[in-house]
């Protein structure tokens, strides 16, 4: 079978589970996966892997291997299914009471029993700590947590929420032991303890974690079936170094993140024993605004930027076929998607932007600094922001500059409100339109933004969550997206595709990265059909 194509034929997808099962024979070597995610413990973020703080794709990819959740999203997507739980479901028609019964015989990796009280403790701990990273917002809809015996837990919600099962499938709802995680404070460093499919050891280099070694947990009981005994996740400074390691067979797979240049080269001129696979992706990129900052406090400035930006030129010039323009917070493959930014501002419409500023009495050129992270989203980020700067300057309406910083500096500064304009990406916690709206517009949101719209927060978001049929919520999301396009607290730029490159003796590659960019390392095996 030719596995060097971008998109697998349907037959190949159907055969993949069989190949993973019959061709996953272990030869004793750990499977090594490369990533450009950086794992750093700093004064501003001393506890990067504590589930009460961790809220980025890289750290969640560590936690998903080690910390068990009541539910998880199954291979191929769909609604969450029981994982640590034996069964879960709403016990009322209003979707306000959610009940889970634990599997029998669950233990943490050290042999301590996992009980309903541990679930209650873990969830209440997240809400009590309420870190400034926005993590607790995912569980903020919980009113109380009740336990019944040692194996049953009931979540009583403040209001109906059909998306709640998805939230319980994220690492923020990971089950922890009170002996390892203190109730009122974060656990510093890189150590992680849980009841997940793997135990973990970390190799540090100063304040950085250079590699994580995951070993199959013999005490694990859950819905996941690991296809290997050991996996190593190794951090690289950039995609080029990671690619060189793949070519020399020092690593078996690279998933996050391949550069656009690598993808093009590996697909146009395939290398021996390396295959590239496109997998569904739901990543978005956007500009965020501190709406209290003097340079962008005036709504007309943000609207004018929305009119000036040429997404098509940006995508074609920097990312090529690996991305496409985005005119809403909700990407095109998610229910509820619309194009309100295109409807309101078009693309690269300088005349419209000039009129917006003139009508608002804003003098030009408006001075703005575009802030971005140099080491979190891939090597093209600097080029992307240079392109945005040139577009703004070319309009004659803006005096724009760019400024880059490492993620360990960038993210704390962004949360503090140090940046008037900043670039971020979003990989969904779960594939539902709610997760492209609430993290930006709800209380205690991920951005820590000063922007508040009471109608969105207090009426429209709660209304959207009442719909068990998520397509029925589309009219509500259309209203929200129009409000976002009018106020421009964020400016959507593009949505991306995902690619994985791997040695040809690795099986399960098609399933090792899901639509939310979660690494499912248990899917990987080694062998041939």
């Amino acid at each position: 079978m030719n596995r060097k194509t971008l998109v697998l034929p349907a037959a190949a997808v159907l055969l993949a589970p069989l190949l993973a099962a019959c061709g996953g024979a272990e030869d004793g070597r750990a499977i090594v996966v490369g990533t450009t995610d950086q794992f750093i413990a700093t004064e501003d973020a001393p506890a990067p892997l504590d589930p009460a703080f961790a809220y980025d794709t890289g750290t969640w990819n560590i936690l998903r291997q080690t910390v068990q959740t009541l539910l998880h999203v199954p291979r191929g997507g769909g609604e969450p299914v029981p994982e640590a739980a034996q069964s879960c479901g709403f016990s009322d028609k209003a979707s306000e009471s959610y009940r889970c019964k634990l599997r029998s015989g669950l233990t943490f990796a050290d042999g301590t029993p996992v009980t309903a009280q541990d679930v209650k403790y873990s969830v209440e701990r997240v809400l009590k700590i309420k870190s400034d990273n926005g993590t607790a917002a995912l569980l903020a809809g919980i009113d109380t947590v009740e336990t019944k015996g040692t194996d049953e837990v009931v979540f009583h919600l403040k209001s109906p929420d059909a998306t709640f099962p998805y939230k319980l499938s994220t690492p923020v709802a990971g089950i922890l032991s009170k002996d390892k995680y203190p109730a009122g404070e974060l656990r510093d460093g890189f150590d992680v303890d849980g009841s997940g499919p793997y135990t973990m050891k970390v190799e540090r280099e100063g304040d950085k974690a250079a590699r994580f070694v995951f070993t199959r947990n013999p005490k694990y009981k859950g819905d996941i079936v690991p296809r290997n005994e050991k996996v190593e996740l190794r951090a690289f400074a950039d995609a080029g170094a990671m690619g060189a390691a793949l070519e020399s067979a020092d690593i078996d797979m690279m998933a996050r993140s391949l550069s656009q240049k690598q993808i093009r080269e590996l697909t146009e001129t395939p290398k021996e024993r390396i295959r590239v696979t496109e997998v569904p992706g739901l990543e978005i990129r956007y500009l965020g605004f501190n709406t209290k900052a003097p340079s962008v406090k005036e709504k007309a400035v943000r609207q004018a930027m929305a009119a000036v930006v040429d997404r098509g030129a940006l995508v074609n010039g920097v990312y090529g076929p690996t991305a496409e323009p985005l005119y809403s917070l909700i990407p095109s493959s998610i229910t509820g998607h619309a194009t309100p930014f295109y409807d309101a501002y078009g693309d690269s419409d300088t005349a419209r932007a000039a009129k917006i500023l003139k009508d608002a009495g804003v003098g030009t050129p408006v001075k703005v600094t575009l802030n971005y992270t140099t080491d979190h989203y891939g090597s093209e980020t600097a080029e992307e922001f240079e392109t945005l700067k040139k577009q703004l300057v070319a309009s004659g309406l803006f005096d724009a500059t760019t400024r880059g910083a490492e993620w360990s500096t960038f993210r704390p500064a962004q949360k503090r409100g140090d940046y008037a304009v900043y670039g971020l990406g979003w990989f969904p916690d779960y594939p539902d339109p709610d997760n492209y709206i609430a993290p930006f517009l709800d209380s205690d949101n991920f951005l820590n933004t000063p922007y508040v719209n009471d109608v969105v927060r207090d009426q429209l978001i709660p209304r959207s969550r009442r719909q068990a049929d998520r397509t029925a919520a589309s009219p509500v999301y259309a209203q929200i997206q129009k409000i976002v396009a009018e106020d421009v607290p964020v400016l959507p730029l593009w949505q991306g595709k995902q690619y994985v490159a791997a040695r040809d003796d690795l099986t399960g590659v098609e399933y090792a990265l899901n639509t939310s960019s979660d690494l499912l390392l248990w899917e990987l095996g080694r062998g041939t059909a």
Side-chain angles (χ1 to χ4, degrees), residues 408-429:
S408 58
T409 299
F410 175 88
R411 176 64 171 141
Q414 180 270 314
K415 288 188 293 185
R416 288 194 303 265
D418 294 354
Y419 303 145
V421 188
Y422 51 87
L424 281 172
W426 183 251
F427 301 85
D429 306 324

Side-chain angles (χ1 to χ4, degrees), residues 148-178:
K148 297 188 175 183
T150 60
D151 64 351
E152 194 168 346
V153 59
V154 183
F155 300 93
H156 300 285
L157 308 183
K158 297 174 183 176
S159 59
D161 185 2
T163 70
F164 187 66
Y166 283 104
K167 294 170 183 176
L168 285 184
S169 73
T170 65
V172 66
I175 306 170
L176 309 174
S177 167
K178 63 179 179 298

Side-chain angles (χ1 to χ4, degrees), residues 390-463:
K390 289 179 179 178
Q391 290 182 358
L392 292 173
V393 171
S395 72
L397 303 174
F398 292 91
D399 176 9
T401 57
T402 61
R403 181 171 57 197
E406 292 185 352
W407 181 253
S408 58
T409 299
F410 175 88
R411 176 64 171 141
Q414 180 270 314
K415 288 188 293 185
R416 288 194 303 265
D418 294 354
Y419 303 145
V421 188
Y422 51 87
L424 281 172
W426 183 251
F427 301 85
D429 306 324
Y430 47 91
D432 186 275
D434 176 77
N435 198 237
Y436 289 93
I437 297 297
F440 305 98
L441 304 174
D442 209 352
S443 301
D444 302 318
N445 59 72
F446 165 75
L447 295 178
N448 199 26
T449 176
Y451 172 81
V452 176
N453 185 292
D454 294 336
V455 172
V456 172
R457 182 190 61 188
D458 301 332
Q459 298 178 34
L460 297 181
I461 290 178
R463 190 186 306 167

Side-chain angles (χ1 to χ4, degrees), residues 65-66 196-200 214-217 226 228 231 521-522:
Q65 323 306 319
T66 51
Y198 295 98
T199 59
M200 185 200 80
F214 301 100
T215 303
R216 188 168 182 170
N217 177 10
N228 57 67
V231 185
L521 298 179
W522 53 82

Side-chain angles (χ1 to χ4, degrees), residues 6 11 30 41 57 96 121 132 138-139 158 179 209 211 222 236 263 288 297 347 349 454 467 476 527:
L6 280 178
T57 302
E96 288 184 302
Y121 173 82
D132 66 355
L138 278 173
L139 303 180
K158 297 174 183 176
D179 295 332
R211 67 182 70 196
F236 289 87
I263 295 166
K297 183 177 182 179
D347 234 358
D349 194 335
D454 294 336
Q467 300 292 343
V476 180

Side-chain angles (χ1 to χ4, degrees), residues 19-33 226-232 234 246 249-253 273 275 502-509 521-529:
L19 294 179
C22 68
E26 291 291 327
D27 59 7
R29 294 180 293 141
I31 293 171
V32 185
V33 177
R227 288 165 169 77
N228 57 67
E229 292 297 324
K230 184 178 291 187
V231 185
E232 177 187 316
R234 191 180 301 175
L246 182 68
D250 287 340
I251 65 174
D252 299 291
M253 186 178 91
R273 302 211 62 185
R275 54 190 168 125
R503 307 291 299 181
D504 63 3
D505 64 341
L506 208 62
T507 60
V509 173
L521 298 179
W522 53 82
E523 295 286 1
L524 297 174
R526 199 192 300 278
T528 55

Side-chain angles (χ1 to χ4, degrees), residues 194-448:
S195 56
Y198 295 98
T199 59
M200 185 200 80
K201 290 185 178 180
V202 60
E203 182 178 311
R204 301 168 176 81
E205 293 180 357
D207 61 356
K208 295 183 178 182
R211 67 182 70 196
F212 300 89
V213 178
F214 301 100
T215 303
R216 188 168 182 170
N217 177 10
K219 294 184 173 64
Y220 169 73
K221 290 188 177 181
D223 186 58
I224 293 167
V225 180
R227 288 165 169 77
N228 57 67
E229 292 297 324
K230 184 178 291 187
V231 185
E232 177 187 316
L233 185 66
R234 191 180 301 175
F236 289 87
D238 54 57
M242 182 171 62
L246 182 68
E247 288 189 38
S248 64
D250 287 340
I251 65 174
D252 299 291
M253 186 178 91
M254 57 178 185
R256 284 183 44 82
S257 300
L258 282 71
S259 69
Q260 191 270 343
K261 180 182 178 181
Q262 285 174 319
I263 295 166
R264 185 178 65 251
E265 290 178 350
L266 287 170
T267 53
E268 293 178 355
T269 310
K271 295 183 181 294
E272 186 178 1
R273 302 211 62 185
I274 294 176
R275 54 190 168 125
V276 179
T277 303
E278 180 184 339
V279 293
L282 297 173
E283 170 192 7
I284 68 169
R285 298 282 182 89
Y286 59 93
L287 292 179
F289 299 96
N290 177 353
T291 52
K292 287 187 176 180
S295 61
V296 295
K297 183 177 182 179
E298 176 63 59
K299 180 169 66 174
V301 173
R302 307 191 300 270
Q303 292 176 329
M305 289 181 70
V308 166
V309 169
D310 186 339
R311 293 170 181 80
L314 175 67
V315 166
N316 291 333
V318 180
Y319 293 101
T322 66
E324 59 184 272
L326 180 65
Y327 300 92
S328 164
L329 277 176
I330 301 175
S332 60
S333 49
I334 292 289
T335 298
H337 168 75
T339 58
F341 275 86
Y342 186 83
D343 300 340
Y345 308 108
D347 234 358
S348 188
D349 194 335
T350 301
R352 186 180 306 194
K355 184 177 188 306
I356 290 171
L357 293 172
K358 182 179 180 180
D359 290 349
V362 177
T364 58
V366 179
K367 190 172 183 178
V368 295
T369 299
L370 308 178
N371 294 275
Y372 66 94
T373 173
T374 58
D375 61 345
H376 195 66
Y377 296 118
S379 57
E380 292 93 356
T381 307
E383 183 182 355
E384 174 184 356
F385 274 74
E386 187 64 22
T387 301
L388 287 170
K389 181 192 80 172
K390 289 179 179 178
Q391 290 182 358
L392 292 173
V393 171
S395 72
L397 303 174
F398 292 91
D399 176 9
T401 57
T402 61
R403 181 171 57 197
E406 292 185 352
W407 181 253
S408 58
T409 299
F410 175 88
R411 176 64 171 141
Q414 180 270 314
K415 288 188 293 185
R416 288 194 303 265
D418 294 354
Y419 303 145
V421 188
Y422 51 87
L424 281 172
W426 183 251
F427 301 85
D429 306 324
Y430 47 91
D432 186 275
D434 176 77
N435 198 237
Y436 289 93
I437 297 297
F440 305 98
L441 304 174
D442 209 352
S443 301
D444 302 318
N445 59 72
F446 165 75
L447 295 178
N448 199 26

